[in-house]
Amino acid sequence: VAPPNESKPPQANSALKDLLSDPLRPNDAAPTANAIHASITSPGAAEPQADQTSSPDRSDQPDLTSAYVQDVDLGNGRHQAVISSEPINYRAPDGSWQPIDPRFEAIDGGFVNSRNSFEIDASSRRAIVRLSTGTYGIGWEPQSLVLTNNSQETQVLATALAIDRALTGTLSSDARTISYVHDWTSPDLSETITSGPGSVEHSVIIAHLPLSPTGREGGGEGQLSLRAMLHLLPGLQLVANGQPQTNDFTTDGSIEVRDMQGNVVVELPPARAFERDDPNVSVSAQYRVALQAAGEWQRTIETPRAWGDDRGRRYPVVIDPLIQVGRWKAIGPGTSAPCTLDDPIAGARALPADQG
């Protein structure tokens, strides 16, 4: 882990300002995975010569750095645009672009990652997460793991513990993952929260084949369902199946959280379950979302019970919802454009694609 910065960076969330420990220095190296390197010569600049050691003044040239682009000055009027398919910079409160650092810091009452496309706050004892993007806020709280038969009758296998009964989460050595080993009524369930560039991943880990409360296996019928509450602050809406959702819905695809102008703030990609030791052994899951009150949705991730009951299934099994800002996608030969450009702190909302 890199040493602390000598100067304290500005904080995006004033409520947490006094709780943060000494900040960590962002990673200096720009990501190289999924990146495109393009060398650009400023108009009128001469080709670099081997014996030249000084660079011309580029103060009149635009800096191409953005959420997905890192402008690298090569000297002699040349610079390189490193374009990534995932965010590599975030907009700091002073308006500058700074390298994303996905590491959490421990604070009083929880953990925080404030150097990302959105600020991620996690509870100290349970996998309760809040994302803050300037004006907007999104949060979720796991509730229960249930068996649902084909008639939609349910049996509760486990529920999330009250915070005062759960154990404090622990931070991994790289400070990117928080592990919660005792926050459910069943000892067979544990959770992790993992921060990445422009993303946060909530994994529920099932150690053994779940049994019904009567002790009998489910027999392959119906669904194994993970329920959580999804909280949206005013000004946000859910979009799925190609249209805004105002009531209960299901989808096998992604769910987008958009502002009222239609800009994507964050996206929940299609959910899945997989074997922890071999993530390639997986099954697609379905979202079942029910409106509880204004801005309050119960989000259920349903996985086929038959997949979990398979005699060849190797536990532990992970149910793996993810939330992220948009990613770049190709739109034609030699071109690309972002699904969403996230500008959370300065603009408080995702930019339309035509501003990328």
Side-chain angles (χ1 to χ4, degrees), residues 70-81:
Q70 183 65 48
D71 188 337
V72 180
D73 191 344
L74 301 178
N76 300 304
R78 295 176 62 85
H79 53 111
Q80 186 177 69

Side-chain angles (χ1 to χ4, degrees), residues 68 326-329 331 336-341 351-356:
Y68 295 82
R327 294 295 188 264
W328 285 68
K329 63 180 179 180
I331 57 175
S336 64
C339 304
T340 302
L341 276 179
L351 296 173
D354 61 4
Q355 294 186 26

Side-chain angles (χ1 to χ4, degrees), residues 52-262:
Q52 289 181 323
T53 58
S54 61
S55 300
D57 182 10
R58 280 197 59 222
S59 59
D60 61 337
Q61 301 297 328
D63 190 328
L64 302 179
T65 298
S66 68
Y68 295 82
V69 180
Q70 183 65 48
D71 188 337
V72 180
D73 191 344
L74 301 178
N76 300 304
R78 295 176 62 85
H79 53 111
Q80 186 177 69
V82 181
I83 306 172
S84 175
S85 62
E86 65 181 18
I88 55 177
N89 297 305
Y90 72 98
R91 182 79 83 175
D94 64 2
S96 65
W97 289 106
Q98 299 296 329
I100 286 176
D101 182 351
R103 290 175 291 182
F104 285 104
E105 299 172 81
I107 61 171
D108 185 15
F111 305 89
V112 65
N113 171 227
S114 57
R115 300 178 185 174
N116 213 321
S117 301
F118 35 59
E119 181 171 294
I120 308 169
D121 297 289
S123 170
S124 62
R125 293 172 176 256
R126 284 188 51 202
I128 301 172
V129 180
R130 185 184 71 231
L131 307 181
S132 304
T133 59
T135 302
Y136 300 132
I138 304 159
W140 69 88
E141 179 179 357
Q143 292 180 305
S144 59
L145 185 72
V146 303
L147 286 177
T148 306
N149 64 23
N150 292 337
S151 301
Q152 293 302 303
E153 298 172 334
T154 61
Q155 292 181 312
V156 177
L157 300 178
T159 56
L161 290 173
I163 288 181
D164 60 356
R165 294 179 56 198
L167 296 181
T168 301
T170 58
L171 202 55
S172 62
S173 59
D174 65 1
R176 293 182 57 170
T177 298
I178 310 164
S179 296
Y180 302 89
V181 297
H182 182 71
D183 63 340
W184 288 82
T185 55
S186 170
D188 290 336
L189 295 184
S190 60
E191 296 176 277
T192 60
I193 299 293
T194 300
S195 172
S199 69
V200 59
E201 187 173 15
H202 171 218
S203 298
V204 176
I205 303 162
I206 305 172
H208 304 289
L209 175 67
L211 302 178
S212 72
T214 61
R216 295 176 298 174
E217 295 184 6
E221 177 187 341
Q223 310 289 327
L224 180 65
S225 301
L226 174 65
R227 291 179 173 174
M229 285 300 299
L230 179 64
H231 308 277
L232 305 180
L233 287 184
L236 295 175
Q237 60 182 330
L238 297 183
V239 176
N241 303 321
Q243 59 187 3
Q245 300 294 328
T246 58
N247 215 321
D248 302 358
F249 68 93
T250 61
T251 183
D252 296 325
S254 62
I255 300 174
E256 294 176 339
V257 179
R258 298 190 183 189
D259 64 19
M260 293 307 173
Q261 288 70 48

